[in-house]
Amino acid sequence: MIPPRLFLPVILCFGCLCLSQVQADEPLYVRIDQLIDADQVGPTSAVCNDAEFLRRAMLDLHGLIPTSAEARAFLDDPSPSKRTALIDRLVASPRFAVHMATVLDVMFMERRPDKYVSTPEWQKYLQSSLEKNVPFDQLAREILSSDGVDTNLRPAAKFFLDRDAEPHLMTRDIGRVFFGMDLQCAQCHDHPIVDHYLQTDYYGIFAFVNRTVLFTDVEKKVFLGEKSDGDASYKSVFTQDAGNIRPQLPGEMEIDEPRLRQGEDYVAPPLPNTRPVPKFSRRSKLAELAANGGNRQFNLNIANRLWAHMMGRGLVHPVDLHHPMNPPSHPAVLELVTSQFVATKYDIRAMLRELALTKTYQRSIEPPASQDAGQLAKAAEEQAALIAALEALKSTEDASQKLANEADTQFKAARTALAAAETAWRTSEAAVATAKKPLDDSMAAVDKAQADARAKEAAIKAITETSQKSAEVAKLLPNDKEIASAIATFTSKQTQLNTELQAVQKSIADQTAAQPPLQAKLVEAYPPADAAYAAYLEARKPVDAAKAKFIETWNRYKADSLATANCKKRLNARETQVALRLSLTNAEVSRAAVDAQKAALTAAIAESEVQQAELSKLTSVVGDVEKAMADAQKLVDEAKSQLEGKQATVQNITDAITKTEAALQMLPGDTDLTQAVQKLKERLEPLKKEAATAEQSMVGRTAAQQEVFAKLMAAKQTFSSATAEMANRQAKVTAKTNDVNQALEAQRSVETAIAAGREKLVDLSTVDVAVRSFKQLSPEQLGWTLMQATGVLESQRIAADGEVEKSIPKATVATDAAQAKVRDFKLEQQFNEQMRGNVAPFINLYAASSGQSQEDFFATPDQALFVANGGTLISWASGGQLAQRLTALADSSAFAEELYLSTLTRRPAPDEVNEVAAYLAAHANERPQAIRDLIWSLVTSAEFRFNH
């Protein structure tokens, strides 16, 4: 069986560089980058520029941005090693200790209000610890074990004291802060969401602290005490499983603790006005076990938190949710950083230096424009292998879970079998308690009586001294009745108190005399209890063995679950890459389809335009023929009119001849009639010829009209066919337009999928720290950075130096480097304390609620009103040293450079220089306000609010 405390989860990492493959002789920061680079699945950003690095490093290691002079010097430094030199300078500075004390304060206390230990007192303790480079494990032991009695370590007790030592609150916060496990939802049952958080994990920690109590002394000062008894009992509201549990760290066995008989278990028993101090302290044991170098979860948690501080997010994120279903982004990196942190004796300064030196830390926030084609091709090859691996891992995990469940069942059965022996032992302990109670009552009475006796003795002493002084006065004033009366009163009171003291002393003597028999009865009760306990220990052996088996199988199940989750994570990344590659391929196809459809549309439009030209020609032809038809019709109409006129004349003359001849028949030989008939006939013949000629003309013109009509019909038929063809070609254009639109829509869908795929890969790369994540400034950083940018700190630092000068003059340390360092540290402490009031409004506005996670970014109307209308910020912008420096600069380029270096730690771009120049020119008559507005606009920008 593997000892639970030495059990290390097996972490499978497909396609990544294993820890064993990293060169051990390389610096830690190089090994970190090797592991990160070998395990990337998404786009990797380039290293950030010098300005971004300077701002980032200053904020992370000192909590504020550089001055413009510091920025200018760094940016202009041509040395290739200047980044390393900067990091070394920052971590060696006393400012590092002061800033990191604030970081640890927020981590440990989460901005809870002061109760028994003030924040300045607590922060000075942290600052001094960090300045001395106290290892984190030692710091943790001091915080977990301090009771507040030792003056030097009293601030360390703030973690417990200011939480009122409330055991459930302590359990949750110890789990989160020291072990990275938020177990709150496991208080009443196994965690409903995180399968690997058990109710016994919660109560195992609870058992370490539930005996801790607050103790208030006669001066109303509060300390921590501890009882020697008090079980940690639990019962699941879901399964009704219940039991008592000894102290146990998550994933480990319950501790073996010495059994001390009742009455022999205290250094200082819990008597009135006495702080209880047991011979065996569970809370001290917690400090020892958590920070002894061997607790894996403690080590992983702090290493992950330091990583999160520098990188903007933890390898496990959120940092207080370490569990297999929330695997680290880079398991091998977390293992490496953790092991090296422990190997370097928990040296925070050294670890942060190594992290700052990595390329990973120095990545830009800007992802590359495109994904590497080789990585995309490789992803498809790995996907199938990962699917197979995941299936195998899931099978292993299921088998491990089954074994763990079986072991749990066996453990519960063994625990049930223990019930009789446990009941017998507890019954015997109750008998001891019954025998002990009269002795306790007697001891409490003696303690109370002794306190009463001490009070009376002090009163008698005071009255005696007063009476003696009064007697001396009476000798000088022998006839003063009031003095004589006072002396009589003092004498009477002294007699009374002596009598009462004698009664109390007799009570003490009586009670003390009564204690030996009571002690004897208690001693008589010990052997049965000892025997019952021995029997209980013997009966508990199978339970402990079953518990050890369960812990072993449960840890194996957690390790297998973690391996499965890691494989799922990697498979998800590969699936994202494969999907992106498919989208990129589809994009090429869709672009070709769009081009083809556009070409077809262009051809259709061209055909339509040709047909339109032909149709235009035909329209002209039809018009010409219709005009000819109209002309022919006109000629036909004219000929018809002439013919009809001629024919009418011929008919009229013919009718006249007929009527005249009829009259001549009635008047034969009538010369006039005969002559008239003759003349009419003579006139008729030419008229007939003219009518015949008109008729021939009519026939000719009608024939010509028919020819034109035939041409018109033919032209119209051709035009109709051309019109139909035009409609067909226009329909084809419409169809091709629809095809183009559909192809474009398909292309847009593919491009949307590509954008989503790229965004998801960038998100994965941000999680994998291949792309730098955005990190908002903490409230403290924001306050300090605003004061640094506007130049408020310059005069305040001078004032702080003046205060330190009073106790440690510079002249006295001029030749003593060690003392000079002490002075510098005192200066930073004084400076930090001096600016506390200025930073407080930013904490009130920008921090999360006390006792809550302080990592998330949020914006509120109060924040907006503060930066828009707050007198503090506006006064800094108009009255700080930056405004004074800018006022003296006439050249707009120099003005813009000083403005941007002071606020954003970078030189302005050309267009920004032009904007500044234009704004100053437009407000030449309001230059002070223009300067204030320019400063205000930059310090309230999103770029200023984030550490990029």
Side-chain angles (χ1 to χ4, degrees):
M1 182 184 298
I2 302 174
R5 290 187 59 78
L6 300 180
F7 182 86
L8 296 178
V10 177
I11 299 178
L12 298 179
C13 185
F14 298 90
C16 71
L17 193 64
C18 296
L19 275 172
S20 59
Q21 295 174 274
V22 176
Q23 294 296 321
D25 56 346
E26 294 278 12
L28 176 59
Y29 69 89
V30 173
R31 287 180 280 165
I32 290 172
D33 285 333
Q34 288 174 344
L35 290 172
I36 293 289
D37 292 345
D39 198 31
Q40 283 315 309
V41 296
T44 301
S45 293
V47 171
C48 66
N49 62 41
D50 283 344
E52 291 173 350
F53 172 76
L54 174 62
R55 182 181 179 88
R56 183 183 301 170
M58 285 287 294
L59 282 165
D60 288 337
L61 298 175
H62 275 196
L64 75 174
I65 60 174
T67 65
S68 61
E70 291 171 331
R72 190 175 286 108
F74 182 80
L75 297 179
D76 292 341
D77 184 354
S79 171
S81 61
K82 65 181 181 181
R83 293 194 179 192
T84 301
L86 173 68
I87 293 168
D88 288 340
R89 187 167 65 252
L90 293 179
V91 298
S93 166
R95 177 69 199 174
F96 171 84
V98 171
H99 167 58
M100 287 306 299
T102 299
V103 173
L104 292 181
D105 173 19
V106 173
M107 183 183 86
F108 285 125
M109 298 307 302
E110 295 175 327
R111 300 196 177 93
R112 295 176 184 276
D114 290 350
K115 198 153 193 179
Y116 303 116
V117 177
S118 71
T119 293
E121 182 184 4
W122 157 249
Q123 285 197 347
K124 284 183 179 179
Y125 159 74
L126 293 174
Q127 291 163 4
S128 296
S129 298
L130 288 160
E131 176 65 11
K132 297 171 187 174
N133 211 25
V134 170
F136 181 81
D137 61 331
Q138 178 181 333
L139 185 67
R141 283 194 297 273
E142 291 176 359
I143 290 171
L144 289 172
S145 64
S146 174
D147 52 23
V149 175
D150 184 337
T151 304
N152 294 327
L153 290 179
R154 177 170 177 77
K158 183 178 179 70
F159 185 83
F160 275 85
L161 285 174
D162 283 11
R163 289 173 169 86
D164 283 320
E166 201 288 310
H168 287 294
L169 177 58
M170 294 311 311
T171 298
R172 186 203 175 195
D173 286 357
I174 289 170
R176 289 191 308 112
V177 175
F178 289 95
F179 298 101
M181 301 171 66
D182 188 348
L183 298 168
Q184 183 176 20
C185 289
Q187 179 178 342
C188 302
H189 42 70
D190 290 345
H191 201 292
I193 299 174
V194 181
D195 293 341
H196 304 84
Y197 284 177
L198 302 178
Q199 191 174 15
T200 50
D201 291 332
Y202 180 94
Y203 279 95
I205 295 176
F206 178 82
F208 280 110
V209 298
N210 72 317
R211 294 179 175 180
T212 299
V213 295
L214 293 182
F215 171 77
T216 305
D217 68 6
V218 292
E219 297 178 355
K220 305 302 181 184
K221 194 170 185 178
V222 179
F223 303 91
L224 292 173
E226 188 174 352
K227 298 179 295 181
S228 68
D229 61 337
D231 291 329
S233 302
Y234 66 91
K235 182 176 182 180
S236 171
V237 298
F238 288 163
T239 66
Q240 304 305 306
D241 179 51
N244 296 311
I245 189 170
R246 304 191 306 279
Q248 168 190 320
L249 294 181
E252 295 189 359
M253 279 291 291
E254 297 171 72
I255 68 170
D256 287 323
E257 53 187 337
R259 174 184 175 261
L260 299 172
R261 291 170 168 174
Q262 297 180 54
E264 299 175 354
D265 47 355
Y266 280 101
V267 174
L271 298 173
N273 301 314
T274 301
R275 183 176 70 90
V277 180
K279 290 181 179 178
F280 175 79
S281 168
R282 284 186 169 184
R283 189 161 60 82
S284 295
K285 195 67 176 178
L286 167 65
E288 173 195 330
L289 294 178
N292 66 359
N295 186 271
R296 175 175 173 76
Q297 197 56 49
F298 174 88
N299 296 339
L300 288 173
N301 169 66
I302 183 56
N304 186 61
R305 285 178 180 270
L306 292 178
W307 180 280
H309 171 71
M310 296 299 287
M311 305 298 177
R313 60 177 293 120
L315 289 162
V316 174
H317 198 81
V319 295
D320 58 0
L321 282 177
H322 284 251
H323 59 81
M325 304 316 294
N326 184 37
S329 60
H330 296 82
V333 176
L334 182 56
E335 291 291 330
L336 175 63
V337 172
T338 301
S339 65
Q340 288 302 298
F341 187 52
V342 175
T344 56
K345 303 187 184 303
Y346 298 87
D347 188 330
I348 294 176
R349 194 186 304 267
M351 177 54 66
L352 295 188
R353 176 187 182 274
E354 292 292 324
L355 295 182
L357 287 172
T358 62
K359 288 189 303 181
T360 301
Y361 175 74
Q362 298 178 32
R363 294 285 179 202
S364 169
I365 61 172
E366 294 293 339
S370 61
Q371 171 71 20
D372 180 74
Q375 281 188 326
L376 294 180
K378 183 181 177 183
E381 298 173 3
E382 289 188 10
Q383 185 178 14
L386 286 169
I387 290 173
L390 179 61
E391 184 176 351
L393 287 169
K394 190 67 179 71
S395 176
T396 300
E397 179 189 3
D398 291 342
S400 296
Q401 184 179 22
K402 182 179 179 181
L403 290 175
N405 289 338
E406 290 173 354
D408 185 41
T409 300
Q410 293 169 2
F411 164 65
K412 289 175 180 176
R415 194 179 60 193
T416 299
L418 179 66
E422 184 173 4
T423 298
W425 165 53
R426 293 188 180 280
T427 299
S428 66
E429 289 291 349
V432 173
T434 300
K436 182 172 173 288
K437 187 177 184 310
L439 179 60
D440 287 345
D441 292 343
S442 176
M443 292 175 65
V446 169
D447 186 72
K448 183 176 182 302
Q450 287 175 336
D452 190 16
R454 287 191 294 271
K456 292 185 184 300
E457 286 171 348
I460 290 170
K461 180 180 178 182
I463 291 174
T464 299
E465 291 174 352
T466 303
S467 181
Q468 290 172 348
K469 294 292 183 181
S470 299
E472 293 176 4
V473 174
K475 290 178 181 179
L476 299 175
L477 300 172
N479 298 321
D480 192 307
K481 295 181 179 179
E482 292 182 359
I483 291 177
S485 175
I487 291 174
T489 300
F490 293 148
T491 302
S492 173
K493 180 58 68 176
Q494 189 174 17
T495 301
Q496 177 187 342
L497 288 173
N498 280 321
T499 302
E500 291 175 356
L501 176 60
Q502 290 173 2
V504 170
Q505 289 173 335
K506 183 177 184 305
S507 173
I508 293 172
D510 293 343
Q511 289 284 357
T512 302
Q515 287 178 3
L518 298 176
Q519 181 69 42
K521 288 185 179 179
L522 175 60
V523 170
E524 290 175 6
Y526 283 153
D530 294 345
Y533 184 71
Y536 165 72
L537 285 182
E538 188 64 28
R540 201 180 72 188
K541 288 180 180 179
V543 180
D544 289 345
K547 179 69 175 283
K549 181 66 175 177
F550 169 69
I551 293 294
E552 178 191 0
T553 56
W554 185 252
N555 283 340
R556 170 57 60 184
Y557 166 51
K558 288 196 293 185
D560 291 339
S561 297
L562 181 59
T564 301
N566 276 314
C567 188
K568 283 181 180 178
K569 179 182 77 72
R570 194 165 187 84
L571 177 59
N572 176 58
R574 290 314 188 203
E575 288 172 343
T576 301
Q577 288 178 301
V578 169
L580 176 58
R581 189 185 187 203
L582 178 61
S583 295
L584 290 171
T585 302
N586 290 340
E588 294 177 3
V589 174
S590 66
R591 280 193 291 270
V594 168
D595 292 342
Q597 294 297 343
K598 284 184 176 179
L601 174 60
T602 299
I605 291 173
E607 292 176 359
S608 179
E609 289 173 347
V610 170
Q611 187 64 21
Q612 183 62 52
E614 181 66 22
L615 193 60
S616 297
K617 290 179 183 178
L618 289 174
T619 300
S620 178
V621 169
V622 170
D624 291 344
V625 175
E626 285 180 337
K627 184 177 182 302
M629 182 66 184
D631 292 344
Q633 183 66 46
K634 183 178 180 182
L635 292 175
V636 168
D637 290 343
E638 289 177 353
K640 182 179 180 181
S641 179
Q642 289 178 358
L643 175 60
E644 287 175 348
K646 297 291 185 180
Q647 288 176 339
T649 302
V650 169
Q651 185 64 44
N652 287 335
I653 292 176
T654 299
D655 288 345
I657 292 173
T658 299
K659 289 181 181 179
T660 302
E661 286 179 342
L664 186 59
Q665 287 178 0
M666 288 186 296
L667 298 173
D670 187 305
T671 303
D672 291 332
L673 291 176
T674 299
Q675 190 175 6
V677 169
Q678 185 60 36
K679 289 182 177 179
L680 288 171
K681 287 183 177 180
E682 292 175 355
R683 182 69 179 129
L684 181 61
E685 287 305 320
L687 288 173
K688 283 183 177 180
K689 290 180 180 178
E690 291 178 2
T693 300
E695 186 174 3
Q696 289 176 353
S697 176
M698 173 68 179
V699 171
R701 292 186 179 183
T702 300
Q705 180 194 35
Q706 292 300 321
E707 290 179 4
V708 173
F709 180 75
K711 290 180 180 179
L712 177 61
M713 291 298 100
K716 285 188 173 182
Q717 180 61 40
T718 301
F719 181 80
S720 176
S721 298
T723 300
E725 178 62 20
M726 184 65 193
N728 288 336
R729 295 190 181 188
Q730 287 178 331
K732 187 176 181 180
V733 169
T734 300
K736 293 299 180 185
T737 300
N738 290 336
D739 290 344
V740 169
N741 289 335
Q742 289 176 1
L744 287 171
E745 182 61 32
Q747 185 180 23
R748 281 191 290 270
S749 296
V750 172
E751 289 173 348
T752 299
I754 290 173
R758 289 190 192 282
E759 183 177 355
K760 187 172 181 180
L761 273 180
V762 169
D763 289 343
L764 287 171
S765 292
T766 302
V767 170
D768 285 351
V769 293
V771 175
R772 175 71 182 193
S773 63
F774 278 101
K775 182 170 69 168
Q776 78 275 8
L777 301 189
S778 70
E780 292 86 354
Q781 285 176 326
L782 184 59
W784 279 95
T785 295
L786 278 167
M787 290 188 289
Q788 180 79 299
T790 55
V792 172
L793 293 183
E794 296 178 37
S795 59
Q796 293 296 327
R797 179 173 280 279
I798 293 172
D801 188 74
E803 285 297 315
V804 175
E805 185 71 12
K806 296 176 183 177
S807 56
I808 311 178
K810 289 180 182 177
T812 63
V813 300
T815 59
D816 189 334
Q819 285 304 306
K821 185 177 180 181
V822 171
R823 188 186 191 283
D824 289 343
F825 177 58
K826 293 295 184 184
L827 172 58
E828 284 299 334
Q829 285 189 306
Q830 175 64 31
F831 188 39
N832 189 72
E833 190 60 31
Q834 197 167 290
M835 304 311 298
R836 186 181 299 279
N838 284 0
V839 176
F842 294 92
I843 296 174
N844 293 334
L845 284 168
Y846 293 92
S849 300
S850 63
Q852 301 299 317
S853 171
Q854 301 290 315
E855 298 173 358
D856 296 333
F857 170 81
F858 61 91
T860 66
D862 286 342
Q863 293 174 7
L865 290 172
F866 176 73
V867 297
N869 305 317
T872 299
L873 182 55
I874 292 174
S875 68
W876 290 353
S878 60
Q881 293 291 325
L882 175 57
Q884 295 179 28
R885 293 197 303 272
L886 293 176
T887 301
L889 295 175
D891 180 74
S892 59
S893 295
F895 182 104
E897 177 174 296
E898 182 65 23
L899 173 64
Y900 274 77
L901 283 176
S902 296
T903 56
L904 301 181
T905 321
R906 65 175 175 85
R907 289 190 165 99
D911 59 331
E912 291 170 329
V913 174
N914 294 335
E915 288 175 358
V916 169
Y919 191 83
L920 290 173
H923 298 81
N925 296 329
E926 303 168 316
R927 187 173 172 84
Q929 183 171 344
I931 291 173
R932 184 196 73 180
D933 291 345
L934 285 170
I935 295 172
W936 181 90
S937 66
L938 292 188
V939 299
T940 58
S941 66
E943 182 178 352
F944 188 88
R945 176 79 188 269
F946 288 86
N947 175 1
H948 53 79

